[in-house]
Amino acid sequence: IDHMNDPKGYTQTLKGWAIEGCIAARLFFRVDAQGRYRNVHCIIDGDQMDVSAFMKKFRTQNVDVDGSGKACKERCADMLDELVFDGYKEHAASFVCVEYRAAEEIEHHLAAARAGICDTGVPSNPAASSVGTGATVSCATAVNDGGGSALLTMQVRPGRSTTAFTNLAELCSGSASPICVDLNAQPREGEANRELVRLVAQTLKMPMARVSVVNGTKSRSKVVRVDNMTPDEVNARLLAIC
């Protein structure tokens, strides 16, 4: 990507696309002598279908502003490589923004990506080492209606071969937001929503009647309500599956 006129807006847009698409995106940029964000590289790591959807947004949705401050699509970007790896190990939805200062730095990151290595270019999260050894989960939030219920923000991918959480390591290190789930159900006539409710109820060991999708019923981004269970109780039961 040649440049970003609106770095804050640009990166927030890419972060939203990454989380929505359940992919790992890493944005590397360099600031020139005039303070402009130039020579930007974005490494996108994920399922081929999700990566294609991410790239389509570049051509069809506004992501930056032009010289007059008007919202615009990305017109100065080239795809350097598109690689498919056998035995690909999926990464959780994430977005990392890294400033680099020398050409050798970005070449290192690009070489790692070409080798199939998910190199974020930032220090590893110390909390990751706590998985299974005193880790904490803080995914659930309270419902402000006095009923002792909780809300879970979740990102789903319907039409998968299995139903499962896909970012358990991040979940248990306390860094997963939202919770990512693959669903063995199609997004039609409420099938995917019912499968999500079933998974949450089974995980929390409670009746399905106490779990409901309260926002995003026709979207991949969903908010799930868990009745008669506090956020602390929900977090504790989620930790038990790590």
Side-chain angles (χ1 to χ4, degrees):
I1 302 169
D2 182 71
H3 63 274
M4 295 186 293
N5 288 328
D6 176 21
K8 182 177 180 180
Y10 204 119
T11 54
Q12 286 299 314
T13 298
L14 291 188
K15 180 179 180 180
W17 291 352
I19 299 302
E20 180 182 352
C22 277
I23 64 174
R26 290 158 283 157
L27 189 75
F28 301 88
F29 65 90
R30 191 173 184 178
V31 182
D32 65 17
Q34 289 73 44
R36 295 191 68 191
Y37 288 64
R38 306 296 301 267
N39 304 117
V40 183
H41 292 75
C42 188
I43 300 174
I44 306 163
D45 187 6
D47 178 271
Q48 191 170 11
M49 181 176 64
D50 295 326
V51 170
S52 296
F54 184 99
M55 295 304 300
K56 182 178 180 180
K57 289 182 171 68
F58 264 109
R59 301 189 298 271
T60 60
Q61 298 186 25
N62 293 331
V63 65
D64 202 6
V65 297
D66 59 22
S68 64
K70 183 179 179 181
C72 66
K73 302 176 180 65
E74 179 53 67
R75 303 296 187 189
C76 301
D78 295 308
M79 182 181 293
L80 301 181
D81 296 285
E82 184 175 9
L83 307 173
V84 179
F85 295 97
D86 293 331
Y88 168 73
K89 183 179 180 180
E90 194 168 318
H91 300 287
S94 62
F95 180 79
V96 176
C97 204
V98 181
E99 180 180 2
Y100 70 95
R101 300 184 183 278
E104 292 77 11
E105 293 179 51
I106 188 60
E107 287 301 329
H108 164 77
H109 296 301
L110 293 175
R114 292 182 180 111
I117 301 171
C118 186
D119 175 19
T120 62
V122 297
S124 60
N125 181 2
S129 62
S130 67
V131 176
T133 56
T136 60
V137 170
S138 56
C139 299
T141 58
V143 178
N144 297 319
D145 62 2
S149 300
L151 296 176
L152 291 169
T153 301
M154 313 189 81
Q155 192 74 26
V156 305
R157 295 192 303 181
R160 301 290 160 163
S161 59
T162 60
T163 293
F165 295 97
T166 61
N167 58 346
L168 283 180
E170 291 79 7
L171 178 66
C172 294
S173 70
S175 62
S177 180
I179 302 169
C180 294
V181 178
D182 279 356
L183 298 173
N184 183 21
Q186 297 298 324
R188 59 175 179 241
E189 299 179 357
E191 292 179 16
N193 289 330
R194 286 192 294 272
E195 180 67 1
L196 179 61
V197 167
R198 185 198 65 77
L199 174 66
V200 172
Q202 180 185 62
T203 302
L204 299 180
K205 296 179 173 56
M206 65 190 317
M208 289 179 60
R210 287 166 54 187
V211 180
S212 59
V213 178
V214 295
N215 195 8
T217 56
K218 296 183 179 180
S219 168
R220 289 190 174 194
S221 300
K222 301 180 184 294
V223 177
V224 174
R225 175 171 175 146
V226 179
D227 286 325
N228 303 319
M229 183 175 286
T230 67
D232 286 345
E233 292 172 322
V234 171
N235 290 329
R237 295 196 184 188
L238 289 174
L239 181 60
I241 67 175
C242 294

